[in-house]
Amino acid sequence: MLLLSSMDFTNENSKRIIIENLPKDIKECRILYFVNEKFTRENLEKRAYRDRLKKCGFAKKNVFVFDYDNPEGFENLDIDCVFIGGGNTFKTFEMLRKTGADKLIRDYVLNKGVTYIGGSAGAHIASKNIEHVKNFDELPDDFSDFSGLGFFDGILICHYSPEREPYAKQAIEEGKYKVYTLGDDECIVF
């Protein structure tokens, strides 16, 4: 299952839809959190990332935070969900690729039936292609592989508003992918 939104747990409606569609009650649901490009050792050690999900209702003991500095040991966890929130889509995906976390996420979702939760950057990353996100996020030097995780056949325009409508229309006209739009209080369940 895919739970994709613009604002994940930071918007009450998106949060409600995500929680209603978790594979287990939120207190029992085990989740692996892939932090965005702003990941720091200090926040990991202070458990700030775990606390973010604890505030949403996840039990502290059921929140695992992927350590980009030490990526070993995150295979074969007994988890129900993986979560990637907002941030810079390209920089976050670059970190996932450098550590092999992209392959790990694919294995969890495609082979083990783990639910994928994506908010903004995390939602974009789940899609077939992320090149259109250049209109919204800064592109790192030497970033050239725009393929996403490919969990669904399409692309997303997150934070959809009248200002982003021309980008959606352009993508529709190009006809390469099915285009989905997500306002800040919306969530798509696949």
Side-chain angles (χ1 to χ4, degrees):
M1 179 179 301
L2 304 177
L3 304 172
L4 308 174
S5 67
S6 290
M7 302 291 289
D8 59 70
F9 298 103
T10 61
N11 173 279
E12 285 304 314
N13 190 51
S14 294
K15 177 181 174 181
R16 179 187 57 76
I17 293 169
I18 291 168
I19 291 172
E20 287 174 357
N21 286 282
L22 291 174
K24 294 180 178 176
D25 180 87
I26 194 166
K27 290 285 185 200
E28 297 173 15
C29 196
R30 296 168 55 91
I31 188 166
L32 176 55
Y33 180 16
F34 294 86
V35 179
N36 67 19
E37 79 280 2
K38 295 178 182 165
F39 171 86
T40 66
R41 166 93 9 235
E42 179 183 355
N43 281 340
L44 181 67
E45 290 172 0
K46 287 192 319 188
R47 301 184 180 213
Y49 303 125
R50 182 179 291 172
D51 290 346
R52 176 184 182 218
L53 291 178
K54 184 180 165 206
K55 288 177 188 171
C56 297
F58 290 93
K60 180 173 60 173
K61 67 179 181 173
N62 292 335
V63 177
F64 304 90
V65 180
F66 185 79
D67 186 344
Y68 290 98
D69 296 329
N70 301 294
E72 307 79 26
F74 287 90
E75 310 86 10
N76 300 315
L77 294 176
D78 180 20
I79 58 171
D80 304 296
C81 301
V82 295
F83 169 55
I84 303 172
N88 180 296
T89 301
F90 304 112
K91 292 177 182 180
T92 300
F93 204 23
E94 189 172 56
M95 288 174 56
L96 294 171
R97 286 176 173 156
K98 284 181 180 178
T99 60
D102 59 330
K103 293 174 184 69
L104 180 66
I105 293 167
R106 277 190 186 101
D107 182 54
Y108 275 124
V109 174
L110 299 176
N111 299 326
K112 297 177 180 167
V114 168
T115 296
Y116 181 95
I117 303 168
S120 192
H124 287 297
I125 288 168
S127 68
K128 195 137 188 119
N129 188 283
I130 59 173
E131 186 169 14
H132 69 287
V133 183
K134 292 189 298 188
N135 296 307
F136 318 118
D137 287 355
E138 179 186 338
L139 190 62
D141 294 337
D142 300 326
F143 191 98
S144 59
D145 180 358
F146 294 102
S147 57
L149 292 173
F151 292 148
F152 68 96
D153 188 23
I155 61 171
L156 294 164
I157 307 289
C158 289
H159 308 290
Y160 187 71
S161 63
E163 292 81 24
R164 293 198 176 191
E165 185 176 0
Y167 301 110
K169 285 183 178 179
Q170 178 184 352
I172 291 167
E173 288 171 10
E174 288 173 0
K176 291 181 185 177
Y177 308 101
K178 186 168 184 179
V179 177
Y180 298 86
T181 59
L182 277 168
D184 283 349
D185 66 343
E186 296 177 313
C187 188
I188 298 176
V189 179
F190 287 100

